[in-house]
Amino acid sequence: MNSCSTKLNQAVQGLAEISGLRFSTHYPLSQVVSFKVGGPADLVAWPHSQESILACLRLAHDLDLPVTVLGRGSNVLISDQGIRGLVLILGSAYSQLYLEGQVLRCQAGCPLYQLAAFCARHSLSGVEGLVGIPGSLGGAIMMNAGAYDCTIGDFVTQVTLIDDQLQVKNLAGRELDFSYRHSYFSDHSGLISQVSLELVPGDKSEIYARMADFQTRRRKSQPLEMASAGSSFKRPQGAYASRLIEGAGLKGWRQGKCGVSAKHAGFIVNYGGATAQDLRQVFAHVQAEVKQQSGFSLEPEVRFLGDWSPCSRELATEL
């Protein structure tokens, strides 16, 4: 038995000893990510508390196993070879909300639609625009997700994180360096565990009406029926990614089983049966064509995770 197999077997035994923890081996990550592609993870665990997160991280640290953290898998493309080591999925098991006055304390796995619905029920306004974003709160904090003039960073008062030394720390909202698709976590490591948001009292009927309007607008303009990772590229300064892609003649362009949406040029979609490598090549083709025709360099919003082939790693330097 090689050292890698020994470590994985030890990790399985260690995960089994963490109270209440659900875990799996050789788990197909295509079942997690919104692109519906991706190979298996060696180990996957679904923590249900900050204590179980810490227990998993300590185990991985002791065994020198790499750790990858996922939420709802809506802003990632995972390689066909999958992810080595331990994957922590902060999902429904770690998604509780606690309201204290106008301050909402949330576990990082909370889906954004659940957050928006909870706020509406309690007549709290501000995050209605997030209702259709298919990610988790932790992922939203990482990239300062937003839509319809709403960004999550506008409402964050504190984030609890676990750093590389497995220390639990609190950062105030002003320390999180929020800007367009950017936060403190764009430049620093750390696992987002819990978030505190301060919202604004509002009229419940008006909040629900705005949410319904945003959902209608999304359905009309975005390919929600297709497997995608949401908006594929960040907005470059002085332009819009979707307009640049359409201007390059790529709206509706298709390569095999994936391509650029004919409904919204800012979305790369999997029509069914595409591989992660196929999708990666679409990203690279779009970037090359837009650069050639407009001079703009598009930066993906999507994160590329896992083991990629040498060809893909070369593409990564271009992306």
Side-chain angles (χ1 to χ4, degrees), residues 115-311:
L115 170 67
F118 183 95
C119 291
R121 288 197 303 273
H122 292 85
S123 301
L124 295 173
S125 181
V127 295
E128 295 92 308
L130 303 179
V131 65
I133 299 177
S136 64
L137 180 56
I141 296 295
M142 284 188 66
M143 63 176 296
N144 193 22
Y148 303 115
D149 299 319
C150 161
T151 56
I152 191 67
D154 294 338
F155 305 95
V156 176
T157 59
Q158 181 176 280
V159 166
T160 300
L161 65 90
I162 302 171
D163 68 15
D164 291 341
Q165 287 70 48
L166 307 186
Q167 298 298 308
V168 178
K169 296 182 177 180
N170 293 319
L171 292 181
R174 63 181 178 277
E175 300 177 89
L176 292 169
D177 194 24
F178 287 118
S179 59
Y180 173 71
R181 299 298 178 265
H182 178 275
S183 76
Y184 167 93
F185 298 97
S186 303
D187 308 307
H188 302 83
S189 58
L191 184 153
I192 299 169
S193 174
Q194 299 182 49
V195 181
S196 295
L197 307 169
E198 187 167 0
L199 299 157
V200 181
D203 181 270
K204 184 181 295 188
S205 61
E206 293 179 0
I207 293 170
Y208 275 118
R210 284 194 293 272
M211 288 169 61
D213 176 56
F214 293 146
Q215 290 285 59
T216 298
R217 289 160 67 178
R218 283 182 184 278
R219 285 192 293 270
K220 288 181 178 179
S221 65
Q222 299 178 7
L224 302 183
E225 70 283 1
M226 304 300 301
S228 79
S231 180
S232 297
F233 297 97
K234 296 180 181 179
R235 183 178 68 236
Q237 187 171 1
Y240 289 92
S242 60
R243 293 178 186 173
L244 292 171
I245 296 167
E246 186 169 358
L250 294 173
K251 186 175 184 179
W253 175 80
R254 183 165 178 168
Q255 179 174 285
K257 298 177 180 179
C258 54
V260 178
S261 167
K263 193 173 187 179
H264 191 306
F267 285 66
I268 289 174
V269 296
N270 176 7
Y271 291 102
T275 66
Q277 183 67 28
D278 293 337
L279 287 157
R280 188 71 178 262
Q281 289 172 352
V282 172
F283 273 88
H285 178 76
V286 169
Q287 288 175 293
E289 288 296 308
V290 168
K291 178 67 174 179
Q292 180 180 1
Q293 297 193 38
S294 70
F296 281 90
S297 297
L298 294 182
E299 180 183 355
E301 282 194 22
V302 175
R303 293 187 300 143
F304 300 87
L305 303 178
D307 289 341
W308 292 88
S309 68
C311 176

